[in-house]
Structures are given as C-alpha cells and as structure tokens.
Amino acid sequence: MCCGLVTLDVVQVVDALPRPDEKVVARSVSATFGGPAANAAATAAVLGVPTRFVTAVGDGPLAEVVRRELADCGVGLVDAAAGTSGGRLAVSTVLVTRATGERAVVSTNASGFGDLAARAVAGGSGLLDGVGPGDVLLLDGHLPGLALTLARGARERGARVVLDGGSWKPDAVEMIGLCDAVVVSADFRPPGLGAGDVLAAVAALGPRFVARTRGPRPVEVLDAGERYDVAVPEPERVVDTLGAGDVVHGAFAAGVARGASWRSALEQAVVVASRSVEHPGARGWAGGAAV
C-alpha cells in the first residue's frame, strides 16, 4: 500500500529552458499522473506486486484523467476524499531538457479536501483491510494526517512502514518514528543539522534502516548501525530523470513486500531506477520491467 500525493503532470520536452520573457516551442507534450507515492505505486504494480494507493483525488475532468491512468497502470485507487466537494487536485508543469534529461518543475499543492484522517476513522472505511505481516506501507510525507493514521494501523497489524523522505516536513519527526525504514533524498535535512550526519539523525528517531540517495552517486546506508554504500549502475544514456527517485522507493517497497532484505531490496531498486532514466517520463521504462 502507498499513501500520499497524486498530481496531474503536464510534461513538455524542450531544447532549453526559456529565459525571462522568452517563448520556446516544446518537442513533445503529455499529461499524466505524477506525485511521489503515485509513481511509487505504479512502479510496484509494474513489478508484479499488487498495490493499493490511498490518496485524495476529488472530482472534475482532471481527476478523471488521473483515475483512468492509475487504473491503466494496475494500481488500485482508494480516494480518501470521495464524496467531498471543493477539493483541488495538485497540478505540476514539468519542463524536461532534451539533451540532458534534467527537469524543472512548477507545482500547486492539493487543497480543500478537509481532514482526511478524521473522515477515514469516522467512516470506518477499512482502508487497511487485508493488510498484515509481510505487507508494506509506503508514505511520501504528504497528506500527513491520513498517512499517520494509516502508519499506526499498519504497525498494529504487523506490516512494515517505509518513508520516502523527499524533504523535511512539519510532521517528519512523528512520521519517521513510525517507520521501519526511511530512504531520503540528498536534499533531506533535519532543521539545524547543517552538513551533519543525516543518516544518524534520522536513525535516532527510530527506524532500523536509513538510506540517502544522491542521484548517480552511491546510496549511503545506515543499517542497524552498520554503514555501507550501494552502487548505482551507470545508465547507457540519460533521457529523462523525472521520477527516478520515486522509482527507487516503489521498487524498494516492492522488493521488501516480496521478502527481500532491506539491503537486497535497495540494491534491486537502484538497478530499476537507473534503467528508468533511459526512457522518457517516470514510467517509460515499464515496457521492459522484468527484474
């Protein structure tokens, strides 16, 4: 199960980013869903792990695009905002530089969905039905009230909880404390830490396994007190780095759900992510997904 943000991504491939007051013509354009937990859920589903995605989608034409494409990816959508009105789906505009695969993102946040955690509890929604020992709940730090509610319930049922730490968020301390494993980005840093030891600071909050991705550089790991690096395979070419971190998290959670150790799951995940940047979009690699 994944819980977190879903967006509608409008992706345009350009030769170069526009300068102020400049207009450029895109080489291609596409509209599809995005968001850390959404891409992770799609990754796990592509890798053959049955996956449920709890998020807030709401109503309207943009929401219908997201619903349809999640279904096409084999992801079971649970819309915690179903039946509400006034919610606004997050939208991201993504510019991908053709020659390097680098991306620039402008986004809005999801808003107007109210207290999703209270609705989930009061409604007896059964969001965790079927979740038990051996299962994995992946959080991306968004929709924190809902995520914390699910994390507490998952732990009570014996499932393992994993966090995608893209950036430090107000509820990070509590959320990390409910996690068995945390995989953070190079930009993730607890307040006041400066250039200190991010892995140790995160591990001190409770998780047994902490890793820090750094793009193409080796992933740093602190595993029950043991430190080591996991090498990232060099891709044959870089077409698009969009969503590569999300692929790491989805493949990592999928590996753990299959019974792999934390270390083995991470080693497998970076292989999948390295292959993903050889293709356009966060899921362009999915046609040859066997690992």
Side-chain angles (χ1 to χ4, degrees), residues 48 51 72 98 143 155 160 209:
T51 304
D72 289 345
R98 185 185 185 196
L143 308 180
R155 287 182 69 88
R160 288 157 293 182
F209 183 92

Side-chain angles (χ1 to χ4, degrees), residues 3 139 143-153 171 174-176 178:
C3 175
L139 313 174
L143 308 180
L146 180 60
L148 289 168
T149 298
L150 290 180
R152 295 186 193 102
D171 297 275
E174 186 176 4
M175 198 169 293
I176 290 170
L178 291 169

Side-chain angles (χ1 to χ4, degrees), residues 173-188:
V173 170
E174 186 176 4
M175 198 169 293
I176 290 170
L178 291 169
C179 290
D180 301 285
V182 175
V183 181
V184 303
S185 73
D187 296 327
F188 186 93

